[in-house]
């Protein structure tokens, strides 16, 4: 927006008709009376100025230029006007010639730019740098066209001014001739003096008008010189674009040569697919025969392993049987030793008790010996009876009461067991419900993050594809996560097979993909662009622009990269103006661009 002029100043644009480009400048020029102009000059804003009808000028930066007085007579004034008119006509011719040269240079630059742009688009359509340069060239060309139009309009204005000055000079000559004729015909000195006074007043008025127009012409001349310098700069830029077009043509020729070489290599490699198909068929037959042999070998190996396992089993059974026999033999030997010891002990007891041998005792007993059980059969029964007796213990007079207490405790434990089983079943049901809801939420979040990650990866790399894959289990709660990515021109692979910069960009895409699923109002990124080169830093800044467009998050970037800092809206830094004294510095880049514009 243009700032308003001080109150009391009349915009010059309301008094003068001019092209739109010049009208914007005239809207910041105001007319005022000489008595008010000095006071109003203090309220001028940047780019504004005040003028008076007498040719005085007050500019916003403090420049003051007042109209000059002249005391020369009418003859000298007329000669000066003629000389000034001739100089103006020469300047006008030079300006027209310069404008024609500028128009020719402009047409040449335009044609050169069109050819260079066409060659550049044909050779490198995918290069953003070339597109940016072409856009910059287009903007410069637009500015050059606008300046050329302004120069033409100013030249026309200068021509009109020169025509007006010539008319004023002729009118002054006529008035001077009439005054001289009237003076020659007059005889009264008083009347002649009055006429002379009137003529002098008219001359003074014409002189003031001439001075005002001379000031305007000086401004036009300075503007014309500036436009001439600008046209020279445009010519140099056109020469530079011509050189770029030549380099682009050489690049196109190189690309055509490489395309021819590629076509020759393609023609050479054309039979290769058929050869590969034949080799694939032969290898397929060999693989089939090898599979048959492998199947037979596997079956033979399985049969051998089964026989080996049967032999090992039989060996273990034999070893166990031999061990059992050895243990039985040792037990039998122990029984024999114990029986011999028992026999000796019984013989000693019989001899001590009856004073006879066992054979004599058997003779005394007669046939009763056949009905008696053996000692081996009696010993287990005796031992059982002893254990039963010991187990009975003393007589328990509180047995019934103890039985009732144990029954009540048993019933309480049964009830607690039922409660625990119900609680376990309820807990398992709750865990199952939580797992189901967790799986649903995890899969929904996984789908959102996967979609965001794929879109951001494609935006970062300018193509390619990427996705997240659940591995190692069908249950999402127990599965692992694998990142599969395919940058443009590469095969699909895992994250570990990419370069360092590609890994960083992929990780950023994944982080921002998760961030888009649940954005926060503030995000702090600390030196994330450190491992990136300039091209990848530009991609990272484009990603930040995309995130800013899609969310309402404020990003705080801690960085030392100049490219990243130029793409930010506001910069904060710390400087040491004096030794040991730190000072916080803040720069609003958007406001700075607005002020520059």
């Amino acid at each position: 927006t243009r700032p308003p002029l001080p109150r009391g100043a009349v915009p010059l644009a309301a008094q003068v008709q001019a092209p739109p480009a010049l009208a914007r400048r005239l809207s910041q020029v105001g007319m005022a009376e000489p008595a008010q102009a000095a006071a109003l000059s203090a309220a001028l804003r940047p780019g504004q100025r005040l003028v008076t009808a007498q040719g005085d000028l007050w500019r916003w930066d403090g420049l003051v230029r007042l109209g000059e007085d002249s005391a020369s007579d009418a003859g000298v004034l007329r000669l000066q006007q003629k000389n000034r008119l001739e100089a103006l006509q020469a300047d006008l011719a030079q300006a027209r010639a310069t404008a024609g040269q500028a128009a020719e240079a402009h047409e040449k630059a335009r044609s050169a730019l069109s050819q260079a742009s066409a060659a550049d688009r044909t050779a490198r359509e995918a290069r953003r740098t070339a597109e940016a340069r072409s856009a910059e060239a287009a903007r410069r060309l637009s500015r050059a066209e606008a300046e050329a139009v302004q120069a033409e309009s100013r030249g026309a204005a200068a021509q009109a001014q020169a025509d007006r000055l010539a008319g004023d000079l002729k009118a002054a000559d006529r008035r001077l001739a009439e005054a001289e004729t009237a003076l020659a015909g007059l005889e009264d000195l008083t009347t002649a003096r009055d006429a002379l006074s009137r003529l002098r007043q008219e001359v003074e008025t014409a002189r003031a008008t001439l001075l005002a127009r001379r000031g305007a012409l000086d401004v036009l001349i300075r503007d014309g010189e500036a436009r001439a310098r600008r046209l020279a700069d445009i010519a140099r830029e056109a020469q530079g674009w011509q050189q770029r077009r030549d380099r682009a043509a050489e690049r196109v020729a190189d690309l055509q040569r490489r395309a021819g070489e590629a076509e020759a290599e393609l023609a050479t490699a054309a039979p290769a697919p058929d050869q590969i198909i034949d080799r694939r068929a032969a290898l397929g037959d060999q693989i089939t025969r090898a599979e048959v042999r492998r199947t037979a070998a596997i079956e033979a190996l399985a049969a051998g392993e089964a026989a080996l396992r049967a032999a090992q089993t039989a060996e273990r059974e034999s070893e166990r049987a031999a061990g059992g026999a050895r243990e039985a033999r040792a037990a039998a030997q122990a029984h024999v030793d114990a029986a011999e010891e028992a026999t000796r002990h019984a013989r000693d007891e019989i001899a001590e008790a009856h004073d006879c041998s066992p054979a004599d005792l058997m003779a005394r007993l007669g046939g009763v010996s056949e009905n008696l059980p053996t000692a081996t059969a009696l010993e287990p029964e005796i031992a059982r009876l002893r254990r039963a007796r010991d187990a009975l213990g003393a007589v328990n007079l509180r047995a019934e009461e103890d039985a009732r207490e144990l029954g009540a405790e048993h019933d309480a434990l049964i009830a607690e067991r039922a409660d625990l089983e119900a609680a376990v079943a309820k807990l398992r049901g709750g865990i199952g419900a939580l797992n189901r809801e967790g799986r649903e939420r995890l899969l929904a979040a996984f789908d959102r993050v996967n979609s965001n990650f794929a879109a951001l990866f494609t935006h970062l790399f300018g193509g390619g594809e990427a996705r997240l894959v659940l591995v190692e289990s069908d249950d999402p709660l127990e599965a692992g996560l694998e990142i599969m990515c395919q940058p443009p021109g590469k095969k699909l692979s895992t994250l570990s097979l990419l370069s360092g910069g590609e890994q960083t960009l992929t990780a950023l895409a994944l982080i921002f993909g998760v961030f888009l699923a649940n954005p926060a109002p503030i995000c702090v990124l600390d030196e994330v662009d450190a491992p990136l080169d300039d091209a990848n830093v530009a991609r990272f800044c484009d990603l930040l622009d995309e995130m800013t467009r899609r969310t309402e998050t404020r990003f705080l970037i801690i960085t030392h990269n100049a490219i990243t800092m130029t793409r930010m809206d506001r910069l904060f830094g710390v400087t040491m103006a004096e030794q040991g004294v730190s000072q916080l510095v803040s720069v609003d880049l958007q406001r700075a661009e607005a002020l520059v514009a």
Side-chain angles (χ1 to χ4, degrees):
T1 59
R2 295 187 293 271
L5 291 170
R7 182 175 298 178
V10 179
L12 188 61
Q15 309 295 330
V16 179
Q17 294 183 354
L22 185 59
R24 177 183 175 89
R25 185 60 178 261
L26 293 177
S27 64
Q28 298 299 304
V29 179
M31 295 185 61
E33 295 297 329
Q36 299 177 350
L40 295 177
S41 62
L44 291 176
R45 304 290 294 277
Q48 294 181 349
R49 59 187 68 192
L50 290 174
V51 297
T52 63
Q54 288 75 23
D56 302 333
L57 172 66
W58 284 267
R59 206 163 63 187
W60 63 277
D61 56 358
L63 176 65
V64 178
R65 181 176 294 174
L66 302 177
E68 299 177 359
D69 295 333
S70 177
S72 57
D73 56 5
V76 173
L77 179 61
R78 184 171 57 187
L79 290 176
Q80 290 178 350
Q81 291 176 347
K82 287 184 179 180
N83 294 333
R84 187 61 179 168
L85 179 61
E86 291 176 357
L88 288 175
Q89 291 176 351
D91 293 338
L92 178 61
Q94 183 178 1
R96 287 178 176 175
T98 304
Q101 294 176 358
E104 293 177 358
H106 171 63
E107 292 297 329
K108 291 180 180 179
R110 177 184 294 176
S111 60
L113 178 61
S114 301
Q115 296 175 0
S117 299
D120 189 47
R121 284 193 301 269
T122 304
R124 293 288 181 183
E125 292 181 357
R127 292 297 183 90
R128 295 184 179 180
T129 304
E131 292 177 355
R133 292 181 179 177
S134 178
E136 181 66 21
R139 289 193 293 272
R140 290 185 179 180
L141 180 59
S142 299
R143 289 196 297 270
E145 291 176 352
E147 291 174 356
V149 171
Q150 293 177 2
E152 292 176 358
S153 63
R154 294 197 176 190
Q159 179 64 35
Q161 182 73 14
D163 295 338
R164 287 194 297 272
L165 289 176
D168 293 341
L169 181 60
K170 291 180 180 179
D173 291 337
R174 287 194 302 271
R175 289 195 297 270
L176 182 61
E178 292 173 358
E180 290 177 350
T181 303
L183 181 62
L186 292 176
E187 297 179 356
D188 189 2
L189 183 60
T190 304
T191 305
R193 288 177 178 176
D194 295 338
L196 181 60
S197 298
R198 289 193 301 272
L199 289 176
R200 286 179 177 176
Q201 292 177 357
E202 293 176 356
V203 170
E204 290 294 333
T205 303
R207 181 185 302 153
T209 303
L210 179 61
L211 291 175
R213 293 177 179 176
R214 181 185 299 169
L217 185 59
D218 292 337
V219 173
L220 291 176
I221 290 173
R222 288 194 297 272
D223 292 340
E225 292 175 352
R227 293 298 176 269
R229 290 193 297 271
R230 182 57 184 164
L231 290 174
D233 296 336
I234 293 173
R236 288 194 296 272
E237 291 181 1
Q239 184 178 3
W241 281 109
Q242 180 68 25
Q243 295 175 356
R244 293 182 182 179
R245 189 194 67 176
D246 296 339
R247 289 195 296 270
E250 294 176 357
R251 183 61 178 168
V252 169
D254 184 36
L255 291 175
Q256 291 176 352
R257 179 182 58 79
R258 293 174 61 184
E261 294 176 355
E263 290 176 355
E265 292 178 356
L266 182 60
T268 304
D274 297 333
Q275 296 176 1
I276 292 173
I277 291 172
D278 296 338
R279 290 186 60 190
R280 180 180 295 175
L283 290 175
D285 295 337
Q286 294 178 5
I287 290 171
T288 302
R289 291 193 294 272
E291 288 292 337
V292 173
R293 293 195 300 271
R294 177 175 174 271
T295 303
I298 290 173
E299 292 176 354
L301 179 61
E305 289 178 350
L308 177 61
R309 286 194 297 271
Q312 291 175 350
T313 303
E315 182 182 3
R316 287 193 295 270
E317 292 294 336
S318 299
E319 289 179 354
R320 282 197 296 269
R326 286 191 295 269
E327 291 176 358
R329 178 183 176 184
Q333 184 65 36
H335 286 125
V336 169
D337 295 339
E340 290 178 353
E341 182 65 28
T343 302
R344 287 193 300 268
H345 182 66
R347 186 182 296 115
D348 293 338
E349 287 182 354
I350 291 171
E352 183 179 355
H354 301 285
D355 193 17
C356 64
S357 63
D360 296 336
L361 183 59
M362 289 295 293
R364 292 177 185 178
L365 293 176
V368 182
S369 61
E370 295 179 359
N371 297 325
L372 292 175
T374 61
T376 304
L378 291 175
E379 286 179 358
E381 183 66 18
I382 294 171
R384 184 183 67 79
L385 294 174
R386 287 176 179 174
R387 288 195 299 272
R389 183 193 65 187
D390 295 336
L392 289 176
V395 177
N396 186 9
L397 302 177
R398 300 182 70 251
E400 294 181 359
E401 185 178 354
D402 293 341
R404 287 193 299 269
E405 292 178 357
L406 290 175
E409 185 177 356
H410 178 268
D411 295 337
L413 291 175
I414 293 297
E416 290 179 359
R417 178 184 177 184
D419 294 340
L420 287 175
E421 290 177 350
V424 168
K426 186 176 180 181
L427 181 59
R428 288 178 177 174
I431 293 173
L434 289 177
N435 287 338
R436 286 193 299 274
E437 185 177 0
R439 291 186 185 94
E440 294 175 357
R441 292 189 178 184
L442 178 60
L443 290 176
F446 175 79
D447 293 337
R448 291 197 302 270
V449 172
N450 193 11
S451 177
N452 295 334
F453 171 60
L456 294 178
F457 183 89
T458 304
H459 179 78
L460 266 179
F461 287 86
E465 59 177 350
R467 64 179 184 272
L468 303 176
V469 181
L470 296 175
V471 295
E472 297 179 359
S473 178
D474 295 334
D475 189 356
L477 298 177
E478 299 178 358
L481 187 64
E482 188 72 32
I483 301 176
M484 306 298 295
C485 45
Q486 183 180 6
K490 293 188 177 182
K491 296 181 180 179
L492 184 65
S493 60
T494 59
L495 181 64
S496 60
L497 299 179
L498 300 180
S499 63
E502 291 173 340
Q503 289 181 357
T504 303
L505 291 180
T506 305
L508 286 174
L510 179 57
I511 292 173
F512 283 121
V514 177
F515 185 80
L516 283 177
N518 187 17
I522 296 176
C523 179
V524 181
L525 302 175
D526 188 1
E527 297 289 355
V528 297
D529 55 355
L532 302 178
D533 55 9
D534 293 344
N536 288 332
V537 169
R539 294 178 178 177
F540 167 66
C541 295
D542 294 338
L543 176 61
L544 287 179
D545 294 338
E546 178 68 14
M547 293 295 297
T548 305
R549 184 182 65 81
R550 297 178 61 176
T551 63
E552 297 180 356
T553 303
R554 293 293 185 91
F555 290 93
L556 302 179
I557 315 297
I558 301 173
T559 181
H560 292 87
N561 193 290
I563 298 177
T564 305
M565 288 189 282
T566 57
R567 297 286 294 272
M568 297 297 103
D569 297 333
R570 182 183 290 272
L571 298 179
F572 296 93
V574 177
T575 182
M576 186 178 291
E578 300 178 5
Q579 185 66 28
V581 180
S582 299
Q583 182 180 1
L584 181 64
V585 179
S586 169
V587 179
D588 191 343
L589 297 182
Q590 290 184 343
R591 182 172 178 82
E593 291 178 358
L595 291 176
V596 172

